[in-house]
Amino acid sequence: MKWNRFTIKTKTEAEDVVISALADVGIEGVEIQDKQPLTEEDKAQMFVDIMPEGPADDGIAYLNFYLEEDADTESILKDVRQALDEVRSYMDIGEGTIEESQTEDKDWINNWKEFFHQFYVDDILIVPSWEKVKAEDKDKMILHIDPGTAFGTGMHETTQLVIRQLKKYVTQDTEMLDVGTGSGILGIVALKLGAKHVVGTDLDPCAIPAVADNKEANGIADADFDMMIGNIIDDKKVQDTVGYEKYDIVTANILADVLIPLTPVIVHQMKKGAYYITSGILDVKEDVVVQAVKEAGLTLVEVTHQGEWVSVTARKD
């Protein structure tokens, strides 16, 4: 099968935000080409004595994504351009142009796996299915996570910020709602921490098989983690199915521009005393999310940071 490749020209500092925006419209497995130098952490994982000198960083990044020949390209590109325009409204993404080319027949869905290896988020070890748990790690809290074509491996700062908040607030009685579930990693973490039950919602149908596979890999019973597709912001049927004043914790690892309309809606799903843990917020958007939380009648509990990303935690009193 031939694949059509689409290349977005942007700026290196906008990479993460543009990739998150693409994920929101169903584009996964984005390939990054830039001239940013490797970090010390990157170098530590590459077992070579002397790193070769690369070209000087010019601040330009090329983000490639791939669509099958029979995909509804026109509709998908319309969504991508709209997503780029939304990001462009609050940060400089450079040219933001999209070029199309055709590439050879390769397994683009699975080739990324050679770059994804087990890693820790504090004391939680996240392991993909194609790697074995080392003997010295057998007693750790272990998550077996394969993102497949749904967003969420735990490597991104936004996911790690939420995981750390879940470690603070999950109890054995926790009923949790996860909006924008993706791979299901946050719900699985909550259940591993002792939560009673999780409900997940997502717009991307790929989340259904991804969550099912990851539940099975982690020994999660089907009854403990329910999953549905739909937009809880404006779909009354989804809101009714999810239920009202039922949840002790609501998580939403989504871009700030989605959190703003979500917040006044989601308060109706929360019990009194429930925690609302948000992430996916670029630091320049921190103030608007904090404002949205307060305008929804929630009490700000904590704001945490990792890199340029922010997590806002609030409580319904």
Side-chain angles (χ1 to χ4, degrees), residues 101-170:
S101 58
Q102 195 173 69
T103 188
E104 62 188 88
D105 184 9
K106 294 183 72 173
D107 187 2
W108 296 106
I109 295 298
N110 291 301
N111 280 4
W112 61 272
K113 290 180 178 179
E114 64 183 284
F115 303 106
F116 178 41
H117 304 289
Q118 56 188 276
F119 64 98
Y120 276 99
V121 178
D122 298 338
D123 56 347
I124 299 175
L125 179 62
I126 298 176
V127 183
S129 63
W130 54 91
E131 291 194 353
K132 294 182 178 180
V133 177
K134 299 173 185 176
E136 61 266 30
D137 293 325
K138 295 287 188 182
D139 296 330
K140 306 291 185 182
M141 179 183 286
I142 297 170
L143 267 69
H144 298 277
I145 296 293
D146 288 352
T149 54
F151 181 75
T153 63
M155 295 186 75
H156 200 277
E157 292 96 328
T158 60
T159 308
Q160 295 179 20
L161 284 165
V162 179
I163 289 173
R164 294 188 179 102
Q165 296 304 94
L166 289 174
K167 290 170 67 178
K168 296 178 185 177
Y169 299 114
V170 167

Side-chain angles (χ1 to χ4, degrees), residues 34-305:
D34 61 29
K35 297 176 183 175
Q36 283 189 304
L38 294 172
T39 65
E40 292 304 315
E41 182 179 355
D42 293 332
K43 293 176 183 178
Q45 297 181 41
M46 301 177 71
F47 301 100
V48 293
D49 294 324
I50 301 174
M51 291 298 299
E53 286 294 326
D57 182 12
D58 57 7
I60 297 174
Y62 297 92
L63 307 179
N64 301 316
F65 63 92
Y66 299 84
L67 300 177
E68 297 179 16
E69 281 188 312
D70 58 355
D72 186 358
T73 302
E74 185 176 343
S75 176
I76 294 170
L77 289 182
K78 180 180 178 182
D79 291 341
V80 169
R81 290 189 178 97
Q82 183 176 346
L84 291 175
D85 286 342
E86 289 174 359
V87 176
R88 191 182 280 112
S89 69
Y90 59 83
M91 76 177 301
D92 184 5
I93 66 169
E95 292 186 15
T97 53
I98 305 174
E99 291 189 2
E100 179 179 357
S101 58
Q102 195 173 69
T103 188
E104 62 188 88
D105 184 9
K106 294 183 72 173
D107 187 2
W108 296 106
I109 295 298
N110 291 301
N111 280 4
W112 61 272
K113 290 180 178 179
E114 64 183 284
F115 303 106
F116 178 41
H117 304 289
Q118 56 188 276
F119 64 98
Y120 276 99
V121 178
D122 298 338
D123 56 347
I124 299 175
L125 179 62
I126 298 176
V127 183
S129 63
W130 54 91
E131 291 194 353
K132 294 182 178 180
V133 177
K134 299 173 185 176
E136 61 266 30
D137 293 325
K138 295 287 188 182
D139 296 330
K140 306 291 185 182
M141 179 183 286
I142 297 170
L143 267 69
H144 298 277
I145 296 293
D146 288 352
T149 54
F151 181 75
T153 63
M155 295 186 75
H156 200 277
E157 292 96 328
T158 60
T159 308
Q160 295 179 20
L161 284 165
V162 179
I163 289 173
R164 294 188 179 102
Q165 296 304 94
L166 289 174
K167 290 170 67 178
K168 296 178 185 177
Y169 299 114
V170 167
T171 73
Q172 63 182 6
D173 297 318
T174 294
E175 290 277 349
M176 181 175 127
L177 171 63
D178 182 31
V179 181
T181 300
S183 67
I185 184 170
L186 296 179
I188 292 170
V189 167
L191 291 166
K192 289 274 192 177
L193 291 169
K196 181 189 293 184
H197 183 253
V198 173
V199 173
T201 72
D202 204 290
L203 300 180
D204 185 358
C206 291
I208 295 288
V211 170
D213 289 346
N214 288 324
K215 283 195 300 184
E216 182 178 0
N218 289 278
I220 303 297
D222 283 343
D224 293 339
F225 192 155
D226 295 318
M227 186 67 208
M228 65 181 299
I229 300 301
N231 190 342
I232 198 169
I233 295 176
D234 58 14
D235 190 328
K236 184 67 163 52
K237 183 178 179 181
V238 175
Q239 296 168 8
D240 291 345
T241 303
V242 167
Y244 301 94
E245 296 187 350
K246 285 182 57 176
Y247 300 95
D248 304 285
I249 293 177
V250 174
T251 53
N253 183 16
I254 308 174
L255 291 176
D257 287 353
V258 181
L259 290 171
I260 292 167
L262 171 67
T263 301
V265 173
I266 212 65
V267 294
H268 301 294
Q269 272 66 45
M270 299 167 62
K271 296 178 183 176
K272 287 187 177 181
Y275 289 94
Y276 180 45
I277 304 171
T278 69
S279 192
I281 307 161
L282 198 65
D283 51 13
V284 296
K285 289 282 189 172
E286 176 182 333
D287 291 343
V288 295
V289 175
V290 169
Q291 181 182 352
V293 161
K294 291 180 177 178
E295 288 179 352
L298 301 175
T299 299
L300 183 66
V301 174
E302 187 177 10
V303 178
T304 55
H305 300 81

